[in-house]
Amino acid sequence: MRSTGFFLASPSRQSMVMVVVVLLAAIKSTAAAQLSQNYYASTCPNVETLVRGAVTKKLQETFNAAPGTLRLFFHDCFVRGCDASVLLAGPDDEHSAGPDATLSPDALDLITRAKAAVDGDPQCSNKVSCADILALATRDVVSQAGGPNYQVELGRLDGKVATRAIVKHSLPGASFNLDQLNKLFAANGLTQTDMIALSGGHTIGVTHCDKFVRRLYTFKGSSAASRGPPMNLVFLRQMRQTCPLNYSPSAFAMLDAVTPTKFDNGYFQTLQQMKGLLASDQVLFADRRSRATVNYFAANQTAFFDAFVAAMTKLGRIGIKTAADGEIRRVCTKVN
Ligand code: HEM
Ligand SMILES: *[C@@H]1O[C@H](CO)[C@@H](O)[C@H](O)[C@H]1NC(C)=O
């Protein structure tokens, strides 16, 4: 099934998409069996402590690394699977393409430092993959920002290729509606509930004006509908000050207007208050098919945390590389 012949036999775009989905499902089912929580028990028993130490130190310097790292992990997993391909630098690097161009330099720095901390232990040197370090660091930024602490499955290998060209259509867009969101997440083996819980990652971090300015003004030639779901009017006026028509490219606002730097269920309350900045966020409350889940997570943080952990675990199983197509990188930005 993985032969190129199969691709050649399916020339239409539609069937290509189907092949990719089927392929992804096939990779996923074999991959889940290979991951385990104690994968490094004999090769690097201190790996969790080493990564956590690097995360704590970086977050003391800048909180930005917390949302940055969470987003980095999501983008890594959705583009070619959780294989640290997002970290590779070079002519075909992913992290300067499309939505990845706004990935956080602080997050990339955090992973470099966590890798150095792990390799600084002689027992661990070159034994832990960059993909696993990213998965562990992500858990640590979430828990240190106030979110759930959870066991991370380990045993991912690092991919040997990055591909700029697939970044854009592998990731969701800020103007996606519920059907578009569900379709992309389903192609990655995730349910609507998983998608809503993972969108709760927007409980920390920022979005730049270009991602939501269309929601603040009606531009010539664009319909009122292109502004997306309705926004709280007082908040809308505030956001017009943050993002005037001649906004600066560096201007931004917090994704969770309620508790912007705490990993909690404030994001879902933000949506209830019609203060979601991205159309793809506010649509989760606007669409009747997803509103009940938003209300449930807004009312019950434990339920959100449980669903988030379950969905992160599934996210972390996407497209795992095996010895045939993976390795443990010595330097996270370069294949060996
Ligand atoms: C559901 C579809 C999603 C869309 C359309 C989306 C889109 C975006 C956009 C446009 C930004 C702002 C980028 C910028 O202006 O710099 C952003 C930021 C962010 N996203 Fe998402 N995202 C989605 C899902 C997720 C998921 C599943 C996670 C993780 C579980 C996540 C984590 C984050 C975080 C933490 C930030 C803030 C980054 C920072 O402050 O450095 N997002 N997202
Ligand atoms: C909140 O969710 C948790 C986990 O799903 C559940 O055990 C608990 O009963 C819920 N609490 C309320 C008040 O509904």
Side-chain angles (χ1 to χ4, degrees):
M1 185 161 77
R2 299 182 58 186
S3 76
T4 26
F6 194 66
F7 277 97
L8 292 173
S10 316
S12 82
R13 192 146 188 272
Q14 193 79 347
S15 51
M16 279 288 277
V17 171
M18 277 312 296
V19 171
V20 171
V21 170
V22 169
L23 201 73
L24 198 64
I27 293 168
K28 269 170 55 69
S29 56
T30 51
Q34 289 164 354
L35 298 178
S36 69
Q37 291 175 358
N38 58 357
Y39 187 81
Y40 296 106
S42 59
T43 50
C44 181
N46 291 332
V47 65
E48 308 225 359
T49 313
L50 293 164
V51 172
R52 192 177 312 121
V55 169
T56 305
K57 196 150 175 292
K58 180 71 191 184
L59 293 192
Q60 278 163 3
E61 291 170 28
T62 171
F63 178 78
N64 296 342
T69 302
L70 176 56
R71 186 169 183 236
L72 186 63
F73 179 66
F74 167 53
H75 285 211
D76 184 36
C77 293
F78 261 44
V79 183
R80 304 196 70 97
C82 313
D83 66 350
S85 65
V86 72
L87 301 177
L88 289 172
D92 211 20
D93 75 349
E94 293 169 9
H95 65 248
S96 57
D100 277 0
T102 50
L103 285 174
S104 157
D106 280 313
L108 298 167
D109 180 54
L110 186 156
I111 301 306
T112 305
R113 292 206 213 171
K115 169 75 166 161
V118 171
D119 285 350
D121 181 329
Q123 197 185 348
C124 301
S125 190
N126 299 324
K127 300 246 171 64
V128 183
S129 69
C130 298
D132 278 346
I133 288 173
L134 177 54
L136 285 170
T138 300
R139 183 271 312 274
D140 292 334
V141 298
V142 165
S143 73
Q144 292 191 31
N149 199 352
Y150 55 93
Q151 287 295 314
V152 179
E153 292 180 339
L154 299 166
R156 297 166 190 81
L157 289 183
D158 299 322
K160 297 180 185 175
V161 271
T163 314
R164 291 175 67 90
I166 63 168
V167 170
K168 207 174 166 192
H169 70 249
S170 302
L171 292 167
S175 61
F176 271 23
N177 63 29
L178 187 68
D179 290 320
Q180 292 171 307
L181 290 168
N182 277 334
K183 195 170 170 212
L184 181 61
F185 279 70
N188 285 287
L190 298 161
T191 65
Q192 175 174 290
T193 304
D194 293 329
M195 184 272 291
I196 298 169
L198 288 171
S199 294
H202 289 172
T203 178
I204 50 174
V206 306
T207 175
H208 293 83
C209 293
D210 61 312
K211 305 300 188 307
F212 63 94
V213 71
R214 276 176 303 283
R215 306 214 337 103
L216 306 179
Y217 307 95
T218 303
F219 292 102
K220 262 210 184 75
S222 70
S223 66
S226 70
R227 285 174 64 165
M231 189 182 282
N232 174 293
L233 279 178
V234 175
F235 186 68
L236 174 74
R237 276 187 218 113
Q238 227 174 298
M239 287 302 113
R240 281 179 176 165
Q241 312 237 295
T242 305
C243 306
L245 280 166
N246 61 342
Y247 65 84
S248 137
S250 61
F252 64 85
M254 311 308 292
L255 284 160
D256 172 0
V258 176
T259 48
T261 58
K262 192 163 186 327
F263 195 104
D264 60 5
N265 61 345
Y267 163 82
F268 297 102
Q269 294 161 8
T270 295
L271 302 185
Q272 289 179 319
Q273 295 171 21
M274 319 290 267
K275 293 177 181 172
L277 288 175
L278 306 180
S280 60
D281 286 330
Q282 194 58 55
V283 77
L284 302 179
F285 184 73
D287 196 305
R288 284 170 47 227
R289 295 169 294 169
S290 45
R291 187 183 302 158
T293 307
V294 169
N295 287 336
Y296 184 45
F297 291 160
N300 188 337
Q301 180 163 279
T302 308
F304 163 49
F305 280 6
D306 288 353
F308 182 80
V309 169
M312 285 293 280
T313 304
K314 284 166 82 174
L315 176 68
R317 291 175 186 161
I318 297 173
I320 301 305
K321 303 297 177 287
T322 62
D325 54 358
E327 63 183 9
I328 289 171
R329 261 179 236 154
R330 276 187 283 279
V331 178
C332 289
T333 53
K334 283 189 212 141
V335 296
N336 291 344

